[in-house]
Amino acid sequence: MKSLLNRRIAILGAGAVGSYIGSKLIEHRFTDVEFVARSGYSVLKENGLAVKNYTNKSPYNLKVNAVKELSGLYDAVLICVKSKDTVTAAKQASNHLKDDGFVVSIQNGIENPDIISAFIPADKIITNVIYMTAVMQEKGVLEYMAEGRLIFGHINGQCSKYTEIYMQILQQAELNAKYTDNIKQYQWQKLMLNIVLNPLSALFRKTFFKMSSFDDAMSLTKSLFKEAQNAAKLCGVDIADEEYDKITAKCKENISFKSSMYQDIEANRNPEIDAILGVVVRVHEKYGQSAPYCDCLLKIMNVKYGGWFQTSPILAADVLVINDDKVLLIDRKNEPLGWAIPGGFVDLYETMEQAALRELHEETGIEANINDLHLLGIYSDPKRDTRGHTVSAVYIFFSDKEAHAADDARDAKYFHIDNLPENTAFDHREILHAAKAKFMK
């Protein structure tokens, strides 16, 4: 087992998938694992990888060997990059593979193993499908909500010495993995999950749980699924109709989880559009058929996200009503739940002050004028709202007016500033302390 632990392994692409697998290797005593990361190289080099999982409330740090590029020869190269970077990754790996080394494609899409085979002998290529719920909250910070499940095999259904070695590596790392001689079936099943979960969630910037409340959105996901199902059939893979219901039920389980495309867009990264939608279009074209829903959505997303783009934080405005030594809070109807300062998102063509006054009236029935508002501060921590990066202007309004809960509020009541409810939402406890220090001495 010592020789197995000493094998030189490169993780090419230190995103959520690559970091998850790399962290497991390090935790289980593999001594020569390299994280090849360009954008996050300096953070990983200086701080290591912070890992937070479903069993630990506080992240723990792993010291990692971070490099900017491959060097020398490797026993295994795990390709975890986006599909658009597969050609570059395959070229690099082909120049740094030992004679008895192999590569593993751990990527979305169907076509990556064939692309890699233009540079590396096909018998050295392992295809790996992974199911996991994980996010890179920021560079160098991995959070996963459950153990990943890996299914791997050779694209031609061949069990070889390379698949056997890879299984030994996964078992030593205590990863949940199994070998299959029909990896194409699992590739298409994973694509079905991605095509239902990812594109529309990213386009609308909503979690799947939130999106599922719109009938038109779900009708679109069903149409995308049917086209992908037909593409799979054209490639000799049967996907049952019932798979759609299984996927949508699974996607609704985690209320706050954001799809990988959604995460990419929030981080101003180009989402992996072509590998999920494009392959369905290309398969249909190959057989003289069409996939109008996938084709249209692919073109829309290529226009919006195919080149350089910028996503800005969402703007919000809140009003903290102060009555002597008391503050007015609302009990939120919607996620994130808890007691919060009245407020909400700024509408288009609306000033921050107008939004603050509107939200105060809608949620509490209290009316105020712009001249009554006093700016407490701007709060912009990217982690302050689990729904996404929200920047909020918080105003103070001194009043003893009675409040009546409405709109997004289940209840509205005054609390003594020194006796606040335990379940406050967002960063509002911090804001309330700031208000006390500035206005309630």
Side-chain angles (χ1 to χ4, degrees):
M1 190 60 72
K2 182 178 180 181
S3 61
L4 179 68
L5 294 173
N6 289 337
R7 286 179 182 269
R8 193 175 185 213
I9 301 172
I11 309 291
L12 198 54
V17 169
S19 294
Y20 172 73
I21 294 175
S23 69
K24 291 295 185 182
L25 294 175
I26 293 171
E27 289 173 5
H28 291 84
R29 300 182 291 113
F30 283 81
T31 60
D32 199 357
V33 179
E34 293 182 7
F35 285 60
V36 185
R38 292 181 179 177
S39 61
Y41 163 77
S42 58
V43 174
L44 288 171
K45 190 73 174 177
E46 294 174 12
N47 305 327
L49 178 68
V51 181
K52 183 178 181 181
N53 62 38
Y54 57 98
T55 62
N56 293 283
K57 292 184 178 179
S58 300
Y60 57 93
N61 276 78
L62 293 176
K63 184 178 180 180
V64 302
N65 182 14
V67 298
K68 289 184 178 179
E69 56 187 21
L70 298 174
S71 63
L73 300 177
Y74 297 85
D75 296 291
V77 176
L78 277 53
I79 299 178
C80 306
V81 299
K82 301 291 187 184
S83 294
K84 65 183 179 63
D85 297 319
T86 299
V87 170
T88 300
K91 287 181 179 178
Q92 292 174 354
S94 68
N95 295 322
H96 295 280
L97 208 58
K98 290 182 180 180
D99 290 341
D100 60 348
F102 60 92
V103 300
V104 185
S105 170
I106 313 177
Q107 302 168 275
N108 285 323
I110 307 296
E111 301 160 316
N112 290 301
D114 291 331
I115 295 171
I116 296 170
S117 68
F119 306 94
I120 295 169
D123 66 311
K124 290 177 172 284
I125 303 170
I126 296 172
T127 302
N128 198 141
V129 173
I130 183 169
Y131 292 90
M132 63 182 300
T133 305
V135 296
M136 292 296 289
Q137 294 181 329
E138 54 192 271
K139 288 182 174 64
V141 181
L142 167 70
E143 179 177 4
Y144 61 94
M145 298 74 174
E147 295 292 342
R149 181 167 63 95
L150 292 81
I151 302 164
F152 69 95
H154 191 277
I155 200 68
N156 294 326
Q158 301 170 343
C159 183
S160 67
K161 65 177 182 179
Y162 301 115
T163 54
E164 291 175 359
I165 293 170
Y166 184 53
M167 173 56 93
Q168 291 173 16
I169 290 172
L170 297 177
Q171 288 175 338
Q172 175 64 27
E174 295 186 8
L175 284 157
N176 179 8
K178 78 169 186 176
Y179 169 81
T180 178
D181 58 6
N182 188 14
I183 192 64
K184 285 186 178 181
Q185 180 77 35
Y186 289 96
Q187 281 185 296
W188 278 103
Q189 285 179 338
K190 178 65 182 291
L191 188 133
M192 298 297 158
L193 170 65
N194 277 323
I195 210 161
V196 171
L197 173 63
N198 265 293
L200 292 177
S201 172
L203 185 63
F204 299 142
R205 293 186 67 184
K206 293 183 182 295
T207 63
F208 189 87
F209 179 84
K210 186 72 173 177
M211 189 179 71
S212 66
S213 63
F214 297 90
D215 291 340
D216 285 344
M218 296 308 293
S219 175
L220 285 170
T221 64
K222 185 65 173 288
S223 298
L224 296 172
F225 174 88
K226 296 297 289 185
E227 289 183 351
Q229 181 187 35
N230 188 59
K233 186 175 182 179
L234 291 170
C235 293
V237 175
D238 288 325
I239 304 293
D241 292 338
E242 294 77 15
E243 193 69 17
Y244 176 78
D245 293 329
K246 293 179 182 178
I247 291 171
T248 53
K250 188 70 175 176
C251 290
K252 291 176 186 178
E253 286 180 3
N254 195 322
I255 295 175
S256 60
F257 177 69
K258 297 176 182 178
S259 69
S260 58
M261 273 193 187
Y262 191 170
Q263 294 176 44
D264 285 339
I265 288 169
E266 286 197 326
N268 280 327
R269 296 189 298 259
N270 297 102
E272 200 168 23
I273 303 166
D274 188 72
I276 294 174
L277 292 168
V279 64
V280 176
V281 175
R282 287 189 288 275
V283 168
H284 278 81
E285 290 176 345
K286 179 181 178 180
Y287 290 92
Q289 300 183 25
S290 64
Y293 286 96
C294 288
D295 189 31
C296 182
L297 186 55
L298 175 64
K299 290 173 180 174
I300 289 171
M301 296 194 73
N302 273 334
V303 170
K304 189 169 185 179
Y305 299 120
W308 182 89
F309 69 95
Q310 181 170 348
T311 300
S312 299
I314 298 172
L315 294 179
D318 302 326
V319 181
L320 176 59
V321 180
I322 297 178
N323 178 11
D324 293 330
D325 55 2
K326 299 182 181 65
V327 291
L328 178 63
L329 301 178
I330 62 163
D331 186 13
R332 291 176 52 81
K333 282 183 181 178
N334 303 316
E335 296 281 348
L337 301 176
W339 289 92
I341 300 167
F345 298 132
V346 180
D347 289 340
L348 193 63
Y349 307 119
E350 188 177 44
T351 67
M352 299 292 280
E353 292 83 2
Q354 289 170 339
L357 295 172
R358 173 182 54 76
E359 288 287 346
L360 176 65
H361 182 257
E362 288 177 356
E363 294 185 340
T364 71
I366 293 177
E367 293 186 354
N369 297 313
I370 288 180
N371 294 335
D372 296 327
L373 300 180
H374 308 273
L375 181 64
L376 172 63
I378 305 295
Y379 293 84
S380 59
D381 187 332
K383 300 178 184 177
R384 64 186 300 269
D385 189 337
T386 57
R387 299 169 298 179
H389 188 186
T390 302
V391 176
S392 184
V394 181
Y395 298 91
I396 301 295
F397 173 45
F398 297 98
S399 174
D400 60 357
K401 293 182 178 180
E402 186 177 350
H404 302 281
D407 194 36
D408 293 333
R410 290 187 296 192
D411 195 5
K413 78 172 59 170
Y414 285 94
F415 292 86
H416 192 282
I417 190 62
D418 293 325
N419 190 25
L420 299 172
E422 288 295 324
N423 57 327
T424 52
F426 311 113
D427 55 352
H428 286 191
R429 185 173 292 274
E430 171 192 333
I431 295 172
L432 290 164
H433 289 159
K436 177 184 177 182
K438 189 172 182 178
F439 292 103
M440 303 175 71
K441 294 180 180 178

